[in-house]
Amino acid sequence: EEKELRGLADSYKSLVVTPQTLTEVDKARKVLKNKRLEIENTVKGNKKSIKDLIDKHVMEAERLVAIISPVEQRLLKEQKDLEEKQAAEARAKIEAEENRKRAIRSKITQIELLTSNARKSDKKEELYAIEQDFYNLIEEVDFQEFTDEAKSVQDVFHSALESRLAYLKEQENKVV
């Protein structure tokens, strides 16, 4: 088709408009115009056909998506809900672990306080009560991950208790 159009254009290229060629020019112009309109109308027709085809495909795609979309949306929601639940459970587990560790640290602090009280006590009965409080505290808590710190605090407690009991025994012997 391009070859035909180039031939047609070439055949009219050398045409010069004069009063003598006016009829021939008018005829040539009408032939070129008709060809141009034929091409433009073909494009218009093709545009409409293509648009209709696209519209048809879009509608079909929308119909097909409507079949699967509700299931996808349900799965997405359930997945999101489960992930949120798992995240909340993980946060709760972390918080529980932090609370457990705080409780252990609190017990270690209480043992340090008992140590201080043992160093100040002047009565054996009071020291034995402090010692009993100490054993009650360490039975309640798993010091596993605080082994070094807990061992150190326990050693200091025992040392203070033994030292104070020895001091009180020495004082009793002086009195007798």
Side-chain angles (χ1 to χ4, degrees), residues 4-172:
E4 177 189 334
L5 292 174
R6 285 191 187 280
L8 191 59
D10 286 344
S11 69
Y12 296 126
K13 241 185 217 179
S14 59
L15 195 58
V16 178
V17 179
T18 63
Q20 295 81 9
T21 61
L22 196 53
T23 306
E24 190 180 343
V25 167
D26 187 52
K27 184 178 169 192
R29 189 191 53 77
K30 287 180 181 175
V31 168
L32 292 172
K33 179 182 176 184
N34 287 338
K35 276 296 183 185
R36 179 182 53 80
L37 290 174
E38 183 181 314
I39 293 169
E40 289 175 351
N41 288 336
T42 301
V43 168
K44 284 181 187 174
N46 287 346
K47 277 185 181 179
K48 173 126 175 60
S49 296
I50 290 171
K51 185 185 178 311
D52 290 346
L53 186 61
I54 289 172
D55 289 347
K56 180 180 173 186
H57 282 287
V58 167
M59 287 176 17
E60 180 64 6
E62 288 171 353
R63 186 184 73 77
L64 294 173
V65 166
I67 292 170
I68 61 172
S69 187
V71 176
E72 177 193 12
Q73 294 305 312
R74 179 189 59 83
L75 292 175
L76 178 64
K77 183 188 180 318
E78 288 176 11
Q79 179 182 6
K80 184 178 175 186
D81 290 348
L82 180 60
E83 288 170 351
E84 287 174 2
K85 179 183 174 189
Q86 289 173 331
E89 288 171 354
R91 285 189 302 274
K93 189 175 181 180
I94 290 169
E95 186 177 331
E97 179 63 10
E98 288 172 355
N99 288 339
R100 186 185 72 78
K101 287 180 180 181
R102 269 194 294 278
I104 292 170
R105 290 224 178 272
S106 173
K107 298 295 181 187
I108 289 172
T109 301
Q110 290 176 36
I111 291 171
E112 291 170 339
L113 181 62
L114 290 176
T115 302
S116 176
N117 291 342
R119 286 186 177 135
K120 297 174 191 172
S121 178
D122 288 333
K123 298 179 183 165
K124 279 186 184 180
E125 297 78 28
E126 198 175 270
L127 287 172
Y128 291 131
I130 290 171
E131 183 179 29
Q132 186 57 50
D133 289 345
F134 168 78
Y135 286 115
N136 288 342
L137 277 174
I138 64 170
E139 285 178 3
E140 294 176 19
V141 180
D142 176 17
F143 288 102
Q144 224 49 44
E145 62 240 73
F146 296 93
T147 305
D148 292 340
E149 185 179 354
K151 177 86 172 101
S152 172
V153 170
Q154 288 176 17
D155 289 347
V156 169
F157 174 78
H158 285 298
S159 174
L161 185 65
E162 289 170 11
S163 172
R164 199 62 184 167
L165 283 171
Y167 170 77
L168 290 177
K169 189 172 186 176
E170 190 180 295
Q171 294 300 316
E172 282 178 9

